[in-house]
Amino acid sequence: GANAMWGGRFASGPDAIMEAINASIGFDKRLAAQDVAGSRAHAAMLAAQGIITDEDRDQIDAGLLTVLSEIDAGTFRFSTALEDIHMNVENRLRELIGPAAGRLHTARSRNDQVALDFRMWVRDQADAAVTGLTALIEALLGQAEAGADLPMPGFTHLQTAQPVTWGHHMMAYVEMFARDRSRFADARARMNECPLGAAALAGTGFPLDRHMTAKALGFDRPTANSLDTVADRDFALEFLAAASITGTHLSRFAEELVIWSSAQFRFVRLSDRFSTGSSIMPQKRNPDAAELVRAKVGRITGAFVGLSTVMKGLAMAYSKDMQEDKEQAFDAADSLMLALAAMEGMVRDMLPQAQNLRAAAASGFSTATDLADWLVREAGLPFRDAHHVVGALVKLAEDTHRDLPDLSLVEMQAVNPAITADVFNVLTVEASVASRTSYGGTAPANVRAQAAAWRERLAAE
Ligand code: ARG
């Protein structure tokens, strides 16, 4: 038969395929709590403005609470014929309270309704991302404080560059994840305007109080333009962009954990709780959680690209294309929260392998730059000349299968007579990292100060 909501104009119901492509209830049931909260606020405002009676409002409100409790209890019967969460809720409300249910949709469209529901959902997810990132940052701070003095190789091109500390490496991720965190907070502040009252696209002639509903639902203010309100999804895109950048950071870190936990590196031991074994190879400890964190980013960035692509060709205002905003955002948010939690767990549990890190930091001529700096400082060489001298020393060491500190003073002086025994003091990894006291450098004192500053900032929030 014809549709209960718009049957007046239609002689027959939809084709089964039409119903299948059109229905969103399979996924937007996830917006039930937001939908009910929005409807309750709308009904309260309609009554306060004298648009519906207080009796109708009370019936609507009680009915909506029953609907929500049925959904929560799992006894609610969702219907594909009713398309989406909005019509499923309203239809059940009508079954429960009768004709008063029909007054709820006064001065409202599913267009502003869905914009509201989805915005509230994304807002919650932005908050959850901030919480998840805070926990991850705290775990990283723990690692940084414990390993502020622990030397490890710093890489460029994944080739040994200069010694850094474990703490410094952890703090680099603290900076990245802290920026991610502020991106979610910024996005939240921008999205926190209430769509309710934009109606289908043009606003309404009913004397609404949009400030009242905005306030009731935790928004800073109502949105300013009704067309924009129902036509745009940049709040979701911004969330997905922030999620995708966060995902990129998570994935890079995950990649490092995969490399570091390998038998070739042995820089870190991941806990049993975050490793898996092999069904055939008894020796294996696989970093599956890190690999999956790395992989989840495909979904997250995919969702950003997917929703941008859905949106980019749409003339204003609402088009049904926009129904495709939800599944991708749901999946991306779920993936992000799981990846954040897994990374936090791995970071909390992981054990840096101090001996291996230190040995690796000392190998590969990692203090060659320290030697060049010493020649500049102590022997007055121009840096370019010093670079040349050290190049010759590295070649000598490499040809004789030694490291820089293994060269004798006599051998060094043969390359440049200005070199004295003092030089050996700068060739150790400890001396190297301790010397990097420039603001933001890897010196242990810097790392401790940075970690303390972040602890303070987080505690002050
Ligand atoms: N299920 C729809 C969506 O998710 C709700 C809005 C429908 N609006 C409309 N004019 N058909 O976008």
Side-chain angles (χ1 to χ4, degrees):
N3 184 291
M5 301 286 172
W6 53 74
R9 202 204 176 293
F10 283 70
S12 82
D15 189 273
I17 300 293
M18 176 61 201
E19 200 170 288
I21 195 171
N22 200 38
S24 55
I25 188 62
F27 48 88
D28 67 13
K29 58 168 83 129
R30 203 163 162 177
L31 299 176
Q34 287 80 3
D35 198 69
V36 166
S39 288
R40 293 182 68 200
H42 184 62
M45 182 276 292
L46 290 176
Q49 295 298 101
I51 301 167
I52 64 172
T53 64
D54 289 356
E55 294 73 53
D56 284 343
R57 177 205 54 207
D58 292 344
Q59 279 195 51
I60 289 169
D61 203 62
L64 284 169
L65 286 175
T66 305
V67 172
L68 188 59
S69 67
E70 289 176 357
I71 293 175
D72 287 344
T75 57
F76 190 95
R77 290 189 39 173
F78 292 103
S79 148
T80 312
L82 291 166
E83 257 189 68
D84 56 26
I85 185 64
H86 324 295
M87 297 207 291
N88 270 271
V89 169
E90 188 181 323
N91 188 69
R92 180 67 184 135
L93 184 66
R94 191 187 322 277
E95 287 173 8
L96 288 167
I97 69 169
R103 300 194 188 281
L104 169 62
H105 212 52
T106 312
R108 190 177 70 169
S109 156
R110 277 188 296 156
N111 295 350
D112 58 341
Q113 195 176 357
V114 74
L116 171 72
D117 294 3
F118 191 39
R119 208 181 271 238
M120 289 201 291
W121 189 88
V122 173
R123 184 174 67 177
D124 282 350
Q125 297 302 310
D127 291 341
V130 168
T131 304
L133 280 162
T134 306
L136 174 55
I137 287 169
E138 279 166 354
L140 284 162
L141 288 173
Q143 286 285 347
E145 287 156 350
D149 296 285
L150 174 58
M152 69 176 281
F155 298 96
T156 60
H157 315 268
L158 199 55
Q159 308 284 320
T160 302
Q162 297 175 353
V164 294
T165 62
W166 176 261
H168 199 51
H169 201 111
M170 296 301 121
M171 289 306 295
Y173 281 109
V174 167
E175 294 293 330
M176 289 180 240
F177 291 126
R179 285 194 298 277
D180 293 334
R181 195 167 164 275
S182 69
R183 267 184 276 275
F184 284 109
D186 290 350
R188 187 204 202 279
R190 239 183 314 281
M191 79 177 71
N192 204 28
E193 297 182 340
C194 186
L196 212 49
L201 75 168
T204 171
F206 288 99
L208 302 187
D209 182 353
R210 293 194 60 206
H211 293 273
M212 178 178 168
T213 38
K215 189 159 178 244
L217 295 166
F219 290 97
D220 296 327
R221 62 191 82 84
T223 55
N225 180 294
S226 60
L227 275 177
D228 169 46
T229 303
V230 295
D232 201 30
R233 291 290 182 269
D234 67 350
F235 64 88
L237 283 173
E238 206 176 345
F239 169 79
L240 291 174
S244 155
I245 297 172
T246 306
T248 302
H249 291 151
L250 285 168
S251 180
R252 291 184 72 170
F253 195 15
E255 168 73 4
E256 294 198 314
L257 293 181
V258 170
I259 295 174
W260 290 354
S261 61
S262 71
Q264 287 67 31
F265 268 75
R266 296 181 196 273
F267 279 10
V268 73
R269 185 169 171 92
L270 299 177
S271 70
D272 287 357
R273 304 190 324 143
F274 285 96
S275 305
T276 58
S278 159
S279 56
I280 174 167
M281 297 167 283
Q283 86 283 10
K284 293 279 262 181
R285 284 174 65 83
N286 292 327
D288 292 41
E291 294 166 88
L292 286 162
V293 166
R294 189 172 58 183
K296 291 288 181 198
V297 182
R299 292 167 175 259
I300 299 170
T301 304
F304 174 74
V305 175
L307 183 54
S308 316
T309 309
V310 166
M311 294 306 297
K312 73 173 187 59
L314 300 186
M316 284 210 287
Y318 178 87
S319 297
K320 197 62 173 265
D321 308 52
M322 290 164 69
Q323 179 165 284
E324 290 287 314
D325 56 2
K326 286 176 264 316
E327 273 171 297
Q328 323 202 39
F330 292 167
D331 184 68
D334 292 345
S335 302
L336 177 69
M337 303 316 157
L338 192 54
L340 283 171
M343 188 55 96
E344 186 212 333
M346 280 189 283
V347 171
R348 277 195 197 286
D349 284 9
M350 70 183 178
L351 297 173
Q353 303 298 291
Q355 273 194 341
N356 300 337
L357 286 161
R358 204 200 163 282
S363 74
F365 313 105
S366 66
T367 53
T369 314
D370 298 82
L371 179 49
D373 288 349
W374 185 89
L375 287 166
V376 169
R377 219 170 39 239
E378 307 295 328
L381 267 65
F383 183 78
R384 281 295 155 219
D385 296 354
H387 188 287
H388 196 79
V389 169
V390 177
L393 290 171
V394 167
K395 180 159 192 324
L396 172 64
E398 192 171 44
D399 289 348
T400 54
H401 308 290
R402 287 177 294 169
D403 235 308
L404 276 180
D406 305 325
L407 297 179
S408 72
L409 183 58
V410 176
E411 286 172 306
M412 290 200 191
Q413 285 171 338
V415 175
N416 189 297
I419 298 178
T420 69
D422 273 358
V423 82
F424 290 100
N425 294 332
V426 301
L427 295 183
T428 68
V429 290
E430 283 77 9
S432 174
V433 295
S435 75
R436 300 295 201 271
T437 53
S438 60
Y439 186 80
T442 194
N446 280 2
V447 171
R448 273 186 234 291
Q450 283 170 10
W454 272 114
R455 289 270 189 215
E456 250 171 69
R457 243 182 277 185
L458 293 179
E461 277 174 5

